[in-house]
Amino acid sequence: MHQPTFDRLGLIEPILKAIREEGYTIPTPIQAEAIPHLIEGRDLLGCAQTGTGKTAAFAIPIIQRLYNDMHQGSGAPAQGASSDGRRGPKRPIRTLILTPTRELAIQIGESFAAYGRHCRLRHTVIFGGVGQRPQTDALRAGIDILIATPGRLLDLMSQGYVHLDQLDTFVLDEADRMLDMGFIHDVKRVIQKLPPKRQTLLFSATMPTEIKRLIHTLLHDPVRVEVTPEITTAENVEQSLYFVEKADKPHLLVHLLQGTEIREVLVFTRTKHGANKLARHLEKNGIGSDAIHGNKSQSARQAALKGFKDGKLRVLVATDIAARGIDIDSLSHVINYEIPNIPETYVHRIGRTGRAGASGQAISFCDREEREFLRDITRLIAKQI
């Protein structure tokens, strides 16, 4: 089947120009499927992970709607605004994107800046862990699009800086990760403040019961867009396996890292506690490492990620949900310290290496209890490791 190009999706020229400048011509499956429905104003349930192109899938139609409103005089920002859309009365917030972490909020902000660079809309990003003054100054000046983490948003709402009564579009991003990080009650408090008539988009890679309940209350007759994870494993990733007793895993990892072959590695554990414990064990053995997971503060996660990207840390120990926002092009090795119990997760984990045509290595440690998980994985990828 012929894959559509962006100019077949009913997009306006200022957005198409920005997309061309970013070097994109073919939309990802989620973009091709979601954008036409979102332009029509439908609610959407997106089953997708980071890395599928979902940010552009929602950012592009939002920019288009706001731009059209501004130029057709139907949207609030246009009243009294000049042709450059920057003067005139204060603009009400028309779109809210709620996302669990500072890293994701910043990434989403960058996407809106890129795709909307010719549309003269205003957006700002707010998150905790930094002074609020620049954020409140931007809110005071008036913005069209607000990208926020739940805690800081509620804080600024309670101080009277954020009003959502004229909101058109609400995006709840990475809903399952919100749940994992304990933000779901904050999310519900925000939802209570939204106007009932609005377009709502919810994205989640998994569908725990709590998220399913949220979907029923939040979405009205949604289009469901599911991006099935890529089941095939990359040909340029060499996969290997060690059968090892559970108690011997820490020693095996240290042994592998004492050689010079592994320059940097992302190590996956199943639990947050396990990630902390393993990072401490490696540090004790003189191997620079840190853990990244949902219980860590935004600043601690940012610092760990920066240390790893800058080469100050050799090992980043991560849980699956925390690793979702990690994008490192030149990563040479991934180690499954614990085999995941969901076979698709294995495919996502090892897909972190061998990117952009480079070769990569994925090593898995398998103890007795995990052999069943290993069988499921080999069945899914249809090859022996």
Side-chain angles (χ1 to χ4, degrees), residues 31-170:
Q31 291 160 6
E33 218 175 313
I35 289 172
H37 291 300
L38 293 176
I39 286 174
E40 283 172 12
R42 294 283 303 271
D43 279 11
L44 180 126
L45 171 59
C47 225
Q49 292 188 303
T50 297
T52 51
K54 71 176 157 74
T55 304
F58 66 75
I60 288 169
I62 285 169
I63 293 165
Q64 176 144 323
R65 178 181 180 167
L66 292 171
Y67 180 87
N68 284 342
D69 281 356
M70 190 162 79
H71 288 264
Q72 287 159 10
S74 64
Q79 291 155 18
S82 69
S83 60
D84 77 354
R86 290 199 174 269
R87 292 181 290 281
K90 182 182 156 176
R91 307 160 163 217
I93 297 165
R94 304 279 305 285
T95 296
L96 170 66
I97 293 116
L98 205 54
T99 192
T101 68
R102 167 191 182 146
E103 303 95 68
L104 276 166
I106 292 167
Q107 278 172 26
I108 293 168
E110 286 166 355
S111 294
F112 272 95
Y115 305 125
R117 65 163 67 99
H118 302 300
C119 292
R120 295 175 168 154
L121 296 165
R122 286 197 240 167
H123 75 273
T124 201
V125 181
I126 64 172
F127 46 78
V130 294
Q132 69 172 41
R133 183 67 192 273
Q135 299 176 2
T136 55
D137 286 352
L139 289 163
R140 259 202 210 96
I143 52 162
D144 304 294
I145 301 148
L146 178 60
I147 301 135
T149 55
R152 177 56 61 94
L153 176 64
L154 284 166
D155 195 14
L156 295 182
M157 282 166 76
S158 70
Q159 292 177 50
Y161 287 109
V162 175
H163 303 282
L164 302 174
D165 52 323
Q166 293 195 53
L167 199 77
D168 292 322
T169 308
F170 172 56

Side-chain angles (χ1 to χ4, degrees), residues 269-342:
T269 60
R270 222 174 287 133
T271 66
K272 302 166 195 172
H273 170 70
N276 285 338
K277 196 173 161 189
L278 187 58
R280 282 197 301 270
H281 176 75
L282 293 172
E283 280 287 332
K284 257 187 220 150
N285 283 274
I287 297 159
S289 61
D290 206 345
I292 188 164
H293 54 69
N295 281 1
K296 289 233 167 171
S297 70
Q298 300 276 15
S299 51
R301 278 206 306 279
Q302 283 284 101
L305 195 52
K306 190 176 184 319
F308 188 59
K309 282 182 171 174
D310 294 350
K312 291 181 185 133
L313 296 172
R314 254 183 92 197
V315 183
L316 195 60
V317 187
T319 56
D320 290 301
I321 285 197
R324 221 186 271 164
I326 300 174
D327 231 355
I328 301 152
D329 283 340
S330 59
L331 188 65
S332 63
H333 287 75
V334 164
I335 292 179
N336 291 300
Y337 183 78
E338 288 162 327
I339 303 265
N341 56 345
I342 298 164

Side-chain angles (χ1 to χ4, degrees), residues 3 13 26 71 91 119 157 181 186 235 238 272:
Q3 213 173 353
E13 185 48 40
I26 307 286
H71 288 264
R91 307 160 163 217
C119 292
M157 282 166 76
M181 292 171 71
D186 284 353
E235 289 305 313
E238 190 185 308
K272 302 166 195 172

Side-chain angles (χ1 to χ4, degrees), residues 239-243 339 346 362-366 374 378 384-385:
Q239 301 170 61
S240 56
L241 185 68
Y242 287 89
F243 288 108
I339 303 265
Y346 173 83
I363 301 165
S364 299
F365 296 177
C366 182
L374 182 64
T378 52
Q384 289 298 317
I385 301 167

